[in-house]
Amino acid sequence: MSAATESYYDRRGLLQTLGRDGLIQIILILNTIVMLGPLVIMFFAAFKTNAQIFQSPFSIPDFSNVANIVKIWTETNFLRYLINSAIVTGSSIVLILTLGTMAAYGIARYNFRGSGFVLMFFVAGLTLPLKLAIIPLFILMRDLGILNTQLSLVIIYVAMGLPTTVFIMTGFIRTLPNELEDAARMDGASEPRIMWSVMLPLVRPAMVIAGIQNVVPIWNDFFFPLIFIQKDALKTLPQGLTTFMGEYTTDWGVLFAGLLLSSAPVIIVYIVLSRQFINGMTAGAVK
């Protein structure tokens, strides 16, 4: 093959690579626009009046106009709804990560008969949506005397989050080298000490992934609080925000301000933990 022919094929391959990369970049840009578009509109609408929202929904507002934010913070029960969501979500995530990590550690690091069955038992929970069992759950919570309490939500969310957490954590813990445990045992460390001091720091990226996977649906859930919570003082944010919608009129600016403030905690948490999240997603990609 002549040098001219080789140069032709090299240029052709380069153009094909650039074409594929360009197409991928275009797709990613379009996806970014689709994902960020509603957030931008929500952000703009939080600083507008009802008339401005309907007349010019895409225009840049006057960001010095914080009347909607002041109104929702001072004239509504938004702060109470925010605290309730923080309590329910925080308690659920702590229990999910604690119980899920302990279960995954036992499945991944100890060889015992039935370990595979136990893992499949947890994974089977991914295929069973709890919403299909809403009537038995309602009867169960009523008989336990915890209906219309935050505990009922925490129990349901923990049951929903454990399958995903155990699945993620088991796969991650199995990639850790056994030499770390052997060295700790030779130094006289107990099994709880090995888990807490040796293994737990190494699985922190996986815990961040499991936490983010669960915190978003729990924080945004509307269905279960609607069924199990009737007291206004115990309502979570998604359920509480519906009270801002009147039967005949709705102050959309106040509603969008509430949506903006309710989404801010999750966005902040994701930004703070983004590095750990990326490390967990790429763990094991490079030896």
Side-chain angles (χ1 to χ4, degrees), residues 101 105 109 169 172-173 175-181 194-208 276 279-280 283:
T101 301
Y105 184 82
R109 307 308 288 187
M169 297 298 296
F172 193 91
I173 294 175
T175 63
L176 301 178
N178 295 326
E179 290 77 9
L180 296 174
E181 293 175 285
I194 293 173
M195 176 183 172
W196 180 261
S197 300
V198 178
M199 295 299 177
L200 198 59
L202 297 176
V203 300
R204 192 175 302 166
M207 294 180 68
V208 171
Q276 294 285 341
N279 290 339

Side-chain angles (χ1 to χ4, degrees), residues 113-270:
R113 182 176 299 178
S115 60
F117 173 79
V118 174
L119 178 60
M120 288 299 103
F121 175 79
F122 280 106
V123 173
L126 297 173
T127 65
L128 300 174
L130 288 182
K131 292 181 180 179
L132 295 180
I134 187 62
I135 294 178
L137 284 174
F138 186 89
I139 296 174
L140 176 63
M141 299 301 173
R142 182 199 62 188
D143 294 342
L144 291 176
I146 58 175
L147 191 63
N148 205 27
T149 65
Q150 294 175 338
L151 180 60
S152 60
L153 295 179
V154 172
I155 293 175
I156 291 174
Y157 291 146
V158 171
M160 290 174 53
L162 276 178
T164 304
T165 303
V166 172
F167 178 74
I168 294 174
M169 297 298 296
T170 300
F172 193 91
I173 294 175
R174 280 177 174 172
T175 63
L176 301 178
N178 295 326
E179 290 77 9
L180 296 174
E181 293 175 285
D182 297 337
R185 291 191 181 98
M186 291 179 64
D187 290 337
S190 62
E191 295 300 320
R193 180 73 174 178
I194 293 173
M195 176 183 172
W196 180 261
S197 300
V198 178
M199 295 299 177
L200 198 59
L202 297 176
V203 300
R204 192 175 302 166
M207 294 180 68
V208 171
I209 293 177
I212 292 178
Q213 289 282 348
N214 288 285
V215 72
V216 174
I218 292 175
W219 183 269
N220 295 330
D221 183 51
F222 174 77
F223 180 77
F224 288 110
L226 179 66
I227 301 299
F228 294 105
I229 301 296
Q230 284 80 44
K231 295 181 181 178
D232 184 71
L234 296 177
K235 290 181 178 179
T236 58
L237 271 174
Q239 183 186 11
L241 289 176
T242 59
T243 61
F244 303 153
M245 301 179 66
E247 183 177 359
Y248 301 104
T249 61
T250 299
D251 193 338
W252 293 102
V254 174
L255 180 60
F256 278 112
L259 293 173
L260 176 63
L261 293 176
S262 65
S263 62
V266 177
I267 295 175
I268 293 173
V269 168
Y270 182 81

Side-chain angles (χ1 to χ4, degrees), residues 13-28:
L14 178 61
L15 291 175
Q16 290 177 347
T17 302
L18 292 176
R20 288 195 299 268
D21 293 343
L23 179 61
I24 293 174
Q25 292 178 1
I26 292 173
I27 293 174
L28 292 177

